[in-house]
Amino acid sequence: VEYAVLLNESGAIVWQVPLEGSIIAGSVHAKGTYVVINLIDRKAVSEVVLVGPTGSVLWNKTPSNLVYQVRVIREGIGFIGADRAFVFDFEGQTLWEYPFEGQVLRGDIGDDGSITVVVREMTGHLSQDSRPQIIMLSPLGKEVCSYSLDHDPNLVYQARSEERRVGK
């Protein structure tokens, strides 16, 4: 059993929650109201758990494919999975889902809920060649733009709002 623990600014434990599986990622709401945790079990099945402000588990989801990244955003919880991106509200209802036509290689979720991923897509219907494509989605799940790349990128990172304000 692993534990998720929320500490306050002075280091005191606010809550502690036991969880089945291995914690591979997590994200905390700016005010500590919600914490989303990405778990993986021994069979390589992802489970996503949303914990509320008192340490109670509000919901858990087991997506059909692996979840690579989760993040608490303004509207709810953003996910990047092996073949799709989606956002759930804080009650666990799907706000939007965007399936990709290939395997996700890398990605990042912005604090505004925008999602950028690199997907390995086939170059044609008759060809077995594939090429990485970067796809940017708006906070509402609409495609903003996409570009084919010559090589796989090493890092996909969306600047956080505080970094954009200071020009980083």
Side-chain angles (χ1 to χ4, degrees), residues 79-86 96-106 115-121 133-137 143:
F79 297 76
I80 297 174
D83 65 348
R84 65 192 62 242
F86 42 99
W96 60 262
E97 183 173 347
Y98 189 99
F100 300 113
E101 294 180 18
Q103 176 72 30
V104 173
L105 303 175
R106 300 194 181 334
I115 294 177
T116 302
V117 296
V118 175
V119 177
R120 169 124 350 248
E121 293 188 336
Q133 183 174 20
I134 190 163
I135 302 169
M136 298 177 71
L137 303 175
E143 187 173 313

Side-chain angles (χ1 to χ4, degrees), residues 80-155:
I80 297 174
D83 65 348
R84 65 192 62 242
F86 42 99
V87 172
F88 287 161
D89 65 17
F90 291 110
E91 285 75 42
Q93 302 302 311
T94 304
L95 294 177
W96 60 262
E97 183 173 347
Y98 189 99
F100 300 113
E101 294 180 18
Q103 176 72 30
V104 173
L105 303 175
R106 300 194 181 334
D108 194 28
I109 303 170
D111 53 6
D112 64 350
S114 58
I115 294 177
T116 302
V117 296
V118 175
V119 177
R120 169 124 350 248
E121 293 188 336
M122 301 307 283
T123 57
H125 295 290
L126 300 176
S127 171
Q128 292 300 312
D129 293 335
S130 64
R131 175 174 243 171
Q133 183 174 20
I134 190 163
I135 302 169
M136 298 177 71
L137 303 175
S138 75
L140 300 175
K142 304 295 182 200
E143 187 173 313
V144 175
C145 62
S146 66
Y147 301 97
S148 290
L149 304 172
D150 292 330
H151 304 284
D152 291 348
N154 293 325
L155 177 67

Side-chain angles (χ1 to χ4, degrees), residues 48-108:
V48 178
V49 177
L50 182 67
V51 180
T54 62
S56 59
V57 174
L58 301 177
W59 52 256
N60 62 336
K61 302 278 183 187
T62 305
S64 59
N65 282 321
L66 285 176
V67 173
Y68 297 144
Q69 189 173 21
V70 294
R71 179 143 188 211
V72 179
I73 57 174
R74 190 174 336 142
E75 295 80 18
I77 309 301
F79 297 76
I80 297 174
D83 65 348
R84 65 192 62 242
F86 42 99
V87 172
F88 287 161
D89 65 17
F90 291 110
E91 285 75 42
Q93 302 302 311
T94 304
L95 294 177
W96 60 262
E97 183 173 347
Y98 189 99
F100 300 113
E101 294 180 18
Q103 176 72 30
V104 173
L105 303 175
R106 300 194 181 334
D108 194 28

